[in-house]
Amino acid sequence: AALIDVNAGITAAGQLVDLNAGATGLTVDAGAITTTGGAAAAGGAIDIDSDGTVAINSNLVTTGGAHGGGVGRAGGAVTITTTGAGDTVSIGTGADITTTGSAGAGGGVARAGGAGGLVTIDTGNALITLNDTAIDTSGGAGGAGGTQGAGGAVTFSDEVELASNTVTITTGATAGVITFSDVLDSATNQALTLTAGTGNIDFDAAVGNTNALGLVTIASGGTVDTDGVFKSAGLDWTATTEIQLDGLVTSTGAVDL
């Protein structure tokens, strides 16, 4: 379609929602897109491809369905891709992305939780804007001593700007990598909170070089790696394996690593 404008939501339990927009782009203005799995079913994927800009102003939810007496069910992946030159992606105020796995059943038999779904945003070198966005890809809890499901990786392939309030990204307590592949900046000292469990956190380019971030909190991570300058109003980081700082860190607040 040349333009896709979602004004009242889409519900498709456990199904793929595949939206393909043309040069006039895609907006989700009201009502969530929800593909949560039904009983004992995985969540469906949400795949958004656009030759124009993408504006997400409501929630995207792909959580795994109830365990149905067995293992937890996986959350579906969320992929947003723009292919036109300069076609941006913005996640608006109050719009969150949730791809969590569901918990495994109890009953005395150890059952694993479902894995969280991947989240990937790729604009082909255009800006990705996050407004007080919360992204949660955590794996579901294990039942009766079963293992927690793996968290889904979160990947921003292009430049990201934190536009308002605090942006929060969590892949849970288990593995789930968080990657900023390009520049990460802030409009006016916006804060960033990351939780990756045993998953790595990678900043592959400069952070806050144009406008410094606010307080950057890493509640957990395996290896945290910065490849460029990093400017913020404070760092409070916890990593189980290593923190590697390959560029100059400039902070106007306390640094606690």
Side-chain angles (χ1 to χ4, degrees), residues 40 66-73 102-106 109-113 141 143:
H67 54 66
V71 299
R73 307 299 164 169
S102 64
V109 177
R111 295 184 174 93

Side-chain angles (χ1 to χ4, degrees), residues 75-255:
V78 172
T79 305
I80 303 173
T81 305
T82 60
T83 55
D87 287 334
T88 60
V89 170
S90 65
I91 310 296
T93 298
D96 300 323
I97 300 174
T98 305
T99 68
T100 51
S102 64
V109 177
R111 295 184 174 93
L118 309 179
V119 173
T120 305
I121 302 179
D122 183 351
T123 61
N125 208 33
L127 184 65
I128 300 165
T129 303
L130 306 178
N131 292 273
D132 66 21
T133 309
I135 297 174
D136 189 352
T137 68
S138 303
T147 58
Q148 183 172 358
V154 178
T155 304
F156 301 97
S157 297
D158 305 283
E159 180 179 355
V160 173
E161 180 180 71
L162 311 182
S164 64
N165 300 318
T166 299
V167 171
T168 303
I169 301 169
T170 179
T171 64
T174 53
V177 175
I178 299 172
T179 303
F180 294 91
S181 298
D182 205 333
V183 170
L184 172 60
D185 260 313
S186 168
T188 52
N189 300 119
Q190 269 64 50
L192 176 66
T193 299
L194 305 175
T195 302
T198 60
N200 296 339
I201 299 175
D202 294 317
F203 300 95
D204 292 337
V207 175
N209 195 40
T210 302
N211 293 301
L213 275 60
L215 174 64
V216 178
T217 301
I218 296 179
S220 62
T223 294
V224 178
D225 184 19
T226 70
D227 290 341
V229 298
F230 201 112
K231 299 179 181 181
S232 71
L235 304 179
D236 184 3
W237 294 4
T238 299
T240 58
T241 303
E242 179 184 7
I243 294 174
Q244 181 168 323
L245 305 175
D246 291 331
L248 175 65
V249 174
T250 303
S251 177
T252 59
V255 175

Side-chain angles (χ1 to χ4, degrees), residues 1-6 18-29 33 47-57 60 80 82 88 90:
L3 169 67
I4 297 177
D5 189 3
V6 179
D18 188 7
L19 305 178
N20 297 280
T24 45
L26 178 146
T27 60
V28 181
D29 284 330
I33 298 178
D47 188 3
I48 295 172
D49 294 282
S50 177
D51 195 34
T53 60
V54 171
I56 306 296
N57 297 312
L60 306 180
I80 303 173
T82 60
T88 60
S90 65

